[in-house]
Structure formats: structure tokens, C-alpha cells
Amino acid sequence: MSSQPLVLGIETSCDETAVGIVRGRTLLANVISSSVEEHARFGGVVPEIASRAHLEAMPHVISQALAEAKVALEDLDAIGVTAGPGLIGALLVGTSAAHGLALSLGKPLYGVNHLSSHIAVDALDESKQLTPAIGLLVSGGHSSIIEVKDMARGVRVLGGTIDDAAGEAFDKIARILALDFPGGPAIDRLARQGNHSAINFPRGLADSDYNFSFSGLKTAVSRYLQQTPTAHRADVAASFQEAIVDVLLTKALKACIDTGLETLIIAGGVAANSRLRAEALRRTSAAGIELRTPPTELCTDNGAMVAALTSLAVSGGVPPSTIGFSTLSTAPLDQPIWQ
Ligand code: KG4
Ligand code: ZN
């Protein structure tokens, strides 16, 4: 198999029907159809609506990605698909489509871990060498600090959240502040008009090396809003965001220093946060650490990240998954490719 495999990746773990195509580490196409607006009035993703939307969007998203990449299905070397974690019904639409394609075309199929693929999207920055790094993975369902040596063969988890994920905390606080769903981008926007040092919200688990807790912060923000009816909402949003950003970066930088790894990759939906990106740049520059953050459109869910991880697996000699593999709503980060 070529060291520059042509790979199509399918992502349907939540509300994005997404297909990406890469050749080796080069991104050729990244097409996303989101059902987010259909969920907005419910204040969260409704699994049944997401599954139906995937089913409707899938053929069109695949064709558009092939047209954008200027390749045909027959040209592909392998197909990758998110097998978990995620919403089971939503995942099944993607894995069924991927099985259909792989079987009819006679191509190898890789079931990939959604979390690992968030980190693997960093490989699409071809100007950078793939060096061992610390990964800060912050999404709607997960917040972890990991040691990344070989993305396609597994990572070492150093710590994670003991309650809410970072993105979940953004979404819950946004709801309290009566902002739109999803809450992360809405808080990011509102916080730009506020003072991030206006309120000193708690930094959870300051004594633990790499674990996070955001539930105390959530309670502190709700209590503050109840007790301060005249609160300036932008100051609350900015101060809440600052508390999260501070905890995430303090621990991620500690992991770099403790392990001696000089590269920090920040990935997952929350990595699109403008304050997190700016503060990460400031702190890593001061510490002499190289910062890698994917472009914002590759931080939130997409198919390019699935194709990127699959491509690394193919060129690294990782065997394809067994046809008929199952989807999992939870999956550990040390299992990047389904066997
Ligand atoms: O990675 P992702 O697209 O889906 C999951 O795998 O969960 O992450 C979605 C999460 C949501 O909680 C969303 O509010 C958050 O990422 N998010 C943000 C921003 N953009 C998306 N959080 C903070 N600031 C943002 N700009
Ligand atoms: Zn995700």
C-alpha cells in the first residue's frame, strides 16, 4: 500500500454528517452538513433527529467530497469511519454507509476512535513533523490530557475530567445565560465584550496533576447569577471562560514540563475557543513549547480528521478492522482503531 494512501473518512458521531478525503497528510476535501439548527429549539442534540439527518445527507455529502477532491470511489485505497464514542443511532448510519462502500468496492475499512481522530487532524499540517507531544483534547464529551507517541497505535492517558467535559460546561453555562445552543461559540462571542478578571471563579482540582473538575465552577456561576441579579452577563461569560482556559492550560503545560515533551497539540471542539487559542500561544511561547492547534473548522467534528487517522493507520501498517465491527457509545483513547 502506498505511503500516501488516498482515504475517505466518514464522521457521524453527533450532529455533523461529514466526509473528508486525504492523500497521505494532504487534505483534499472536507464537506460538512450539520443538523444543529434542527436541535437548537430543544437546547441539545436529539439522537433520533441526528440519525435521520445523517441518513438524508450522507449520499450528497459523499458525492460532494469526491467532486471537491476530484477523485472517484474506485481510486480510494481505504475507507475510515467513526465507530465510537458517540450516539449509537448516529454512528450506525456512518458505519453502515462505510461498510456498504468498502464491501462493494473491495477496499479495506477502518473503524476509528472519534477522540483519537480529533488529535490526528494535526497531521494534516504537513509543514510539521509528527513528533511525540502532549495532547489536550477538549470536546463536548471529553477533556483529557494525553501523551501522544503514535496516534494510530494508541496514546497514554495522563488525566481527564472527573465530571463534566469542558465543552459540556460551556454548553450548560450558556443555557444559564440564556444563550444559543451550542453554547461554546456563543460564550466565546459574548466574552469578547466582557472583563475576564471581573469575577474570580474557582479553578477546580488545583491539587491534582492532570485531572479536571468543572461541576464546582458551574455551581459557582449559577450561584453568582442568582445572588447578583444586576450582573453584567459579558463579564460572567468572560470570567467563566477564563477559569476554564486557566485550568486547562495550567495542567497541559505541567504535563509538557513533567514529561519533557516540547510540543502541545490542542484539539476538539473547545480548541476553537478564541481565548483558549490566544492564551495557549502566550503561555507556550513563554515556556519555549511549540503549540499546534488545528484551524478552527477542523477543531469541531469533521470527516477530515477520520481520514487523517485512517491514513496514518494505513501508512503505519495497522491492519484494517474486521468487517461487521460494532459501534460503541464509549471507547477508551488507547484504542484508536477497531480490531
Ligand atoms: O468536538 P466537538 O465538535 O464534538 C464532540 O466531540 O463533542 O465539540 C463540541 C463542543 C461543544 O460543547 C461546543 O460548545 C464546543 O465544542 N465549542 C466551543 C467553541 N466551539 C465549539 N467551546 C468554546 N468555544 C468555542 N469557540
Ligand atoms: Zn468531536
Side-chain angles (χ1 to χ4, degrees), residues 251-263:
K251 296 189 181 224
L253 266 100
K254 178 166 173 26
C256 291
I257 291 161
D258 292 351
T259 56
L261 292 172
E262 292 175 342
T263 301

Side-chain angles (χ1 to χ4, degrees), residues 11 13-16 85 114-115 118 137-142 165-171 181-189 192 241 267-276 296 299-302 305:
E11 152 64 32
S13 68
C14 194
D15 56 342
E16 271 91 23
H114 179 77
L115 305 173
H118 265 303
L137 172 66
V138 274
S139 71
H142 287 80
E168 200 178 350
F170 270 98
D171 294 337
F181 171 82
I187 291 199
D188 196 343
R189 280 191 299 275
R192 283 178 212 158
Q241 178 173 269
V270 179
N273 183 267
S274 61
R275 179 68 187 155
L276 178 63
T296 49
C299 288
T300 43
D301 292 348
N302 62 82
M305 66 192 207

Side-chain angles (χ1 to χ4, degrees), residues 8-12 79-84 91 93-99 109-114 306-307 310 325 338:
L8 179 142
I10 299 178
E11 152 64 32
T12 61
I79 289 160
V81 61
T82 306
L91 289 166
V93 178
T95 54
S96 302
H99 271 85
L109 176 63
Y110 288 76
V112 313
N113 186 317
H114 179 77
V306 180
T310 307
F325 60 80
W338 261 234

Side-chain angles (χ1 to χ4, degrees), residues 31-280:
V31 178
I32 302 174
S33 164
S34 175
S35 59
V36 68
E37 280 169 15
E38 293 175 56
H39 306 283
R41 69 193 169 101
F42 301 103
V45 175
V46 182
E48 182 61 23
I49 295 178
S51 306
R52 282 168 188 271
H54 288 314
L55 209 50
E56 281 164 20
M58 184 63 72
H60 157 74
V61 173
I62 292 176
S63 318
Q64 205 180 323
L66 290 166
E68 208 170 276
K70 299 190 178 62
V71 297
L73 281 174
E74 296 70 34
D75 303 333
L76 297 172
D77 292 309
I79 289 160
V81 61
T82 306
L87 303 170
I88 286 295
L91 289 166
L92 277 169
V93 178
T95 54
S96 302
H99 271 85
L101 280 179
L103 289 171
S104 60
L105 296 164
K107 308 284 182 187
L109 176 63
Y110 288 76
V112 313
N113 186 317
H114 179 77
L115 305 173
S116 316
S117 63
H118 265 303
I119 295 281
V121 83
D122 170 66
L124 297 178
D125 182 350
E126 297 166 273
S127 66
K128 302 283 165 51
Q129 274 199 308
L130 297 178
T131 47
I134 289 296
L136 172 64
L137 172 66
V138 274
S139 71
H142 287 80
S143 306
S144 306
I145 295 186
I146 57 189
E147 190 179 333
V148 186
K149 286 208 174 115
D150 183 339
M151 296 179 201
R153 292 191 184 270
V155 301
R156 188 163 75 96
V157 178
L158 301 180
T161 181
I162 60 163
D163 41 55
D164 292 348
E168 200 178 350
F170 270 98
D171 294 337
K172 286 180 176 170
I173 296 302
R175 205 171 304 156
I176 297 172
L177 286 169
L179 295 171
D180 290 341
F181 171 82
I187 291 199
D188 196 343
R189 280 191 299 275
L190 180 61
R192 283 178 212 158
Q193 299 151 32
N195 171 4
H196 59 68
S197 25
I199 310 144
N200 188 18
F201 286 127
R203 272 63 170 159
L205 290 192
D207 298 339
S208 160
D209 281 354
Y210 311 123
N211 285 332
F212 305 110
S213 167
F214 298 116
S215 67
L217 173 59
K218 193 180 61 195
T219 311
V221 176
S222 328
R223 193 171 302 142
Y224 181 85
L225 283 167
Q226 277 160 12
Q227 291 170 353
T228 325
T230 54
H232 185 38
R233 284 163 73 251
D235 284 350
V236 176
S239 303
F240 155 75
Q241 178 173 269
E242 198 64 12
I244 294 223
V245 165
D246 183 23
V247 170
L248 292 176
L249 292 177
T250 301
K251 296 189 181 224
L253 266 100
K254 178 166 173 26
C256 291
I257 291 161
D258 292 351
T259 56
L261 292 172
E262 292 175 342
T263 301
L264 173 64
I265 301 171
I266 308 185
V270 179
N273 183 267
S274 61
R275 179 68 187 155
L276 178 63
R277 294 170 84 92
E279 187 60 9

